Amino acid sequence: MTPPRPPAPDEAARVRLDAEWPEHRPAVFGVAYRITGSVADAEDVTQDVWLRAAATGSLAEVRDLRAWLVTVAARRAYDVLTSARARRESYVGPWLPEPLLTGPDAAEPVLVDDTVGVAMLLVLERLSPPERVAFVLHRAFDVPYAQIAEVLGRSPAACRQLASRAGRKIAAAGASPAAGRRASRAEHERVVAAFRAASQDGDGARLLALLDPDATYTTDGGGRVFAARKVVAGAGRVAAVLLRVAAKYAYRLVPAEINGEPGLLMYRGGRLVGADTVEVVDGRVTAVRRVLNPDKLAGLRHVA
């Protein structure tokens, strides 16, 4: 009996990609999302990486496919981030990362760690693009500096310095989990549940008791819908604004895991209109961040 013909190089590469892609896709999407802060951009990068991998005839010779795919994704996301910086300079009102459903709420598997939280993403936004790429690749994906150097076109030593400088900036901003006294998962869930109940009940006293005296409220409408153009600060002002908005728009808040933490999705008339992430420290809400920009809600899938 004639043995089966071994697959041609291109065919072998495609067979390998089809077999291993589901396993590596979360890492490809994960690195792109952490670098760009955008679900839509991360999806585009992920698609680009798959197309490039499928067209690479030498893919069968790649020893570590995950590392190769992550490197390609990081290089493409770096380009996207660089061009996005100019667009964000003209963004209307505060800019927040595009919310990402995680855990049981995610439509597809998502890699979750401390680098995917909204507070961390906002600090990453303050870094230079090279610092952000170096930090994300080394911290979240344990990519060697020699490989990061291929992405950034710099020496491994320079990439080590970039990641180290980024780490110091993040620590100084208080976004590191080691900084402060961030809530445990159970406490975070408890406080968010109480916040949801007080908001929907219109109970100002309960809401005020949950807020840190220096709490902030940030809304991202992107000029597409009505939203505050400045951050609201102070527990009293935040509580008043939240209650006024809740009474005016009569929305419903649905629990969901957003960016790895307990959050809330806003529904009005059965339509998703917002996504809240709530930062909790010492049992109190220190920040409420509300994404209202419909462009940033388009990728959310959730059963209300």
Side-chain angles (χ1 to χ4, degrees):
M1 182 177 178
T2 304
R5 178 181 59 85
D10 287 356
E11 183 182 346
R14 184 59 179 268
V15 168
R16 182 186 184 189
L17 181 62
D18 288 343
E20 298 186 33
W21 177 254
E23 176 187 353
H24 300 314
R25 186 190 186 283
V28 172
F29 177 87
V31 70
Y33 177 72
R34 286 164 174 81
I35 290 174
T36 65
S38 164
V39 173
D41 286 340
E43 291 286 5
D44 288 344
V45 168
T46 301
Q47 180 68 10
D48 288 347
V49 171
W50 189 90
L51 291 172
R52 175 172 174 182
T56 301
S58 60
L59 192 66
E61 302 172 7
V62 175
R63 296 181 59 183
D64 187 341
L65 183 57
R66 180 184 186 276
W68 187 89
L69 291 170
V70 164
T71 300
V72 174
R75 189 177 294 118
R76 179 73 186 103
Y78 179 38
D79 293 339
V80 171
L81 175 63
T82 302
S83 63
R85 284 299 178 96
R87 297 197 306 269
R88 288 176 192 171
E89 289 179 1
S90 59
Y91 196 80
V92 178
W95 180 93
L96 292 173
E98 192 170 337
L100 176 67
L101 289 182
T102 52
D105 301 305
E108 297 182 40
V110 179
L111 295 177
V112 175
D113 61 12
D114 60 280
T115 62
V116 83
V118 172
M120 175 68 82
L121 289 172
L122 285 170
V123 177
L124 290 177
E125 190 68 15
R126 304 178 201 168
L127 305 179
S128 70
E131 288 173 341
R132 183 168 185 165
V133 171
F135 179 83
V136 166
L137 287 177
H138 184 68
R139 170 69 177 274
F141 295 90
D142 200 27
V143 176
Y145 289 115
Q147 195 172 325
I148 298 174
E150 296 177 11
V151 176
L152 296 177
R154 306 191 183 198
S155 69
C159 292
R160 181 188 297 272
Q161 292 178 344
L162 285 169
S164 177
R165 186 160 64 240
R168 290 194 298 272
K169 290 181 179 180
I170 289 168
S176 171
R181 294 177 294 279
R182 296 192 178 277
S184 65
R185 177 75 182 202
E187 183 183 34
H188 203 147
E189 290 179 344
R190 177 187 63 78
V191 173
V192 170
F195 172 84
R196 171 177 176 255
S199 298
Q200 295 200 143
D201 293 345
D203 192 326
R206 280 162 53 202
L207 186 60
L208 192 60
L210 287 168
L211 295 171
D212 182 87
D214 297 321
T216 59
Y217 172 60
T218 305
T219 52
D220 176 347
R224 296 289 313 282
V225 296
F226 178 77
R229 298 291 180 90
K230 295 183 179 180
V231 176
V232 178
R237 294 185 63 202
V238 171
V241 171
L242 286 170
L243 292 175
R244 185 166 62 249
V245 171
K248 181 177 180 179
Y249 294 104
Y251 53 75
R252 182 167 58 96
L253 295 174
V254 177
E257 183 177 304
I258 303 175
N259 289 77
E261 298 178 340
L264 299 165
L265 296 179
M266 298 173 57
Y267 287 87
R268 186 183 182 199
R271 184 171 63 91
L272 179 65
V273 295
D276 286 356
T277 51
V278 181
E279 191 170 331
V280 178
V281 177
D282 287 341
R284 285 193 169 187
V285 174
T286 57
V288 179
R289 301 183 178 101
R290 177 167 289 176
V291 175
L292 299 170
N293 185 341
D295 292 340
K296 293 186 176 184
L297 302 175
L300 294 178
R301 301 182 185 91
H302 188 79
V303 179

